[in-house]
Amino acid sequence: MRELLLYFLRLGTFGFGGPIALAGHMLHDLVEERRWFAPQDYAEGLALSQLSPGPLAAQLAKYLGWVRGGVAGATLVALAFIGPSFLMVLALSLLYVHYGGLPWIQAAFYGIGAAVIAVIARSAYKLARTTVRKDPVLIALFAISAVFTGWTEKEIIWIFFGCGVVALLAKAWPRSAAAAALVPLPWLFSGLHGPAAGELWRIGWYFTEAGAFVFGSGLAIVPFLHGGVVDQFHWLNERQFLDAVAVAMITPGPVVITVAFIGFLVAGYAGALVSAVGVFLPPYLIVILAAPHFRRWSANVKVKAFVAGVTAAAAGAIAGAAYVLGKRAIIDLPTAGICLATLALLIKARKIPEPLIIIAAGVVGFVFQHLLRMHGAAR
């Protein structure tokens, strides 16, 4: 168990490349090379991760921890895997709050925001390609979710459930007549606008909902968060929300760790902790409660059909979010150029890590803004 925890501590610290890449590392390192787990254990863990909400790589890590050491193993592995990225995001949050008003920070995020839009759009395409494929029902659900998210600029949980039910009825229901069941110090709570201890309950509940109902890619949480964080509760503005997504992308670990950044901006250290616990708690409970019984229902046609519908809706919501956020981030020709260049690199130069591309976009944005200020001063 100690060696397993050290492995996940390293993977959580240096593991870039997204959930599929991290899951691939686990297969190569833990199954093929070290033979700590049987292929059957890995396959079942991957299936459970795909069928449950939450970040795929973190779910798979927790399942493998459960196989090795039960509930205690799943808990310790979760802390080892998620902890490093949480601490990194906490450090970036501190810098952002203290230096966010400086021109060089704003200039860097000018380019980063445009690059993030390209990453989100690419993620929607990849998730749709792997889950929707050529299935007409799932294509329709993807399109409905995308249009709804882009039009309303919100993500409604019932759209996800509705898509799941439609897929269930269309794909699995006719095959069977059986029914399917469906202590506080002020600085701990201080965010961008001072102490916000009163927001902690709302933060905790909202991010717990996010952890319980977001399926698909890690970026599937972006449209869900946008509707609440920006439009409903007004915790952050559009620029700050894009910055939060960018921070999650340039750090290792699951993208949903962006909630820690958001929580810190709203309510300081306590907000970051409550947000992270909230978003990871439901997937954690699903793993430890479902793992003992998973083999019995993992192949259930109705379960797979429902999850396929929800995942199609998630892919559509990501596409809609790319449109919504793009309207705010792509504000001129340079940001449009950065976005298109990032998209081209993501498609053509697949070996370049996404965090490196996003950081490069920040450098380009910083240089452009500096040149623009010099030109303005010369005039």
Side-chain angles (χ1 to χ4, degrees):
M1 177 56 73
R2 192 183 111 181
E3 291 179 341
L4 188 66
L5 292 177
L6 288 174
Y7 170 81
F8 279 111
L9 190 63
R10 286 194 298 271
L11 190 64
T13 305
F14 304 107
F16 288 98
I20 301 302
L22 294 175
H25 283 307
M26 293 180 214
L27 174 64
H28 177 267
D29 299 337
L30 301 179
V31 178
E32 297 172 348
E33 287 287 325
R34 307 185 190 189
R35 301 184 185 276
W36 289 354
F37 296 93
Q40 174 79 2
D41 291 329
Y42 178 88
E44 289 175 356
L46 186 61
L48 176 60
S49 304
Q50 291 171 323
L51 290 174
S52 63
L56 183 144
Q59 290 293 81
L60 178 57
K62 284 178 277 190
Y63 183 85
L64 295 176
W66 177 85
V67 170
R68 178 66 63 190
V71 175
T75 305
L76 292 172
V77 164
L79 293 173
F81 184 60
I82 298 166
S85 57
F86 175 77
L87 293 176
M88 291 180 202
V89 168
L90 203 61
L92 289 172
S93 303
L94 274 168
L95 293 173
Y96 186 89
V97 168
H98 285 288
Y99 301 109
L102 294 181
W104 69 270
I105 289 282
Q106 297 172 349
F109 278 97
Y110 167 85
I112 286 174
V116 165
I117 300 304
V119 174
I120 294 174
R122 173 67 172 162
S123 177
Y125 170 75
K126 287 171 65 178
L127 184 60
R129 187 181 62 182
T130 55
T131 57
V132 175
R133 296 188 177 92
K134 297 181 180 179
D135 189 306
V137 174
L138 298 182
I139 289 173
L141 297 177
F142 168 87
I144 290 169
S145 179
V147 171
F148 183 87
T149 303
W151 180 40
T152 64
E153 301 191 2
K154 296 178 181 178
E155 184 181 276
I156 306 299
I157 284 298
W158 297 112
I159 292 292
F160 274 43
F161 276 109
C163 289
V165 171
V166 169
L168 171 64
L169 294 174
K171 302 167 84 55
W173 190 266
R175 303 183 188 185
S176 172
L182 299 171
V183 174
L185 295 172
W187 62 270
L188 279 175
F189 305 93
S190 295
L192 280 174
H193 307 294
E199 289 290 304
L200 281 181
W201 282 109
R202 187 182 295 181
I203 290 170
W205 179 250
Y206 180 72
F207 288 122
T208 301
E209 284 184 336
F213 297 116
V214 176
F215 290 77
S217 158
L219 282 171
I221 201 171
V222 169
F224 183 94
L225 294 182
H226 180 269
V229 170
V230 178
D231 298 330
Q232 182 180 354
F233 299 116
H234 307 292
W235 285 329
L236 304 183
N237 60 35
E238 298 282 354
R239 178 77 262 166
Q240 292 163 344
F241 181 78
L242 265 177
D243 295 346
V245 177
V247 164
M249 289 182 177
I250 60 176
T251 53
V255 173
V256 297
I257 200 65
T258 186
V259 302
F261 184 87
I262 295 170
F264 188 92
L265 297 193
V266 179
Y269 293 94
L273 181 60
V274 167
S275 302
V277 170
V279 83
F280 285 108
L281 182 60
Y284 164 78
L285 292 176
I286 287 173
V287 167
I288 64 173
L289 294 176
H293 316 287
F294 179 65
R295 289 181 181 176
R296 287 186 294 180
W297 57 265
S298 61
N300 187 287
V301 175
K302 295 181 180 64
V303 172
K304 288 185 175 180
F306 181 82
V307 173
V310 173
T311 305
I318 296 174
Y323 168 75
V324 172
L325 297 173
K327 291 191 299 183
R328 279 81 169 183
I330 303 173
I331 55 176
D332 50 25
L333 285 176
T335 48
I338 291 172
C339 180
L340 291 174
T342 301
L343 193 58
L345 285 172
L346 291 171
I347 295 171
K348 298 295 184 182
R350 298 179 183 177
K351 292 185 177 180
I352 302 177
E354 285 182 7
L356 189 60
I357 295 176
I358 293 171
I359 291 171
V363 173
V364 171
F366 173 79
V367 170
F368 178 81
Q369 290 281 283
H370 180 68
L371 293 175
L372 200 61
R373 283 197 300 271
M374 288 180 61
H375 178 71
R379 292 179 62 184

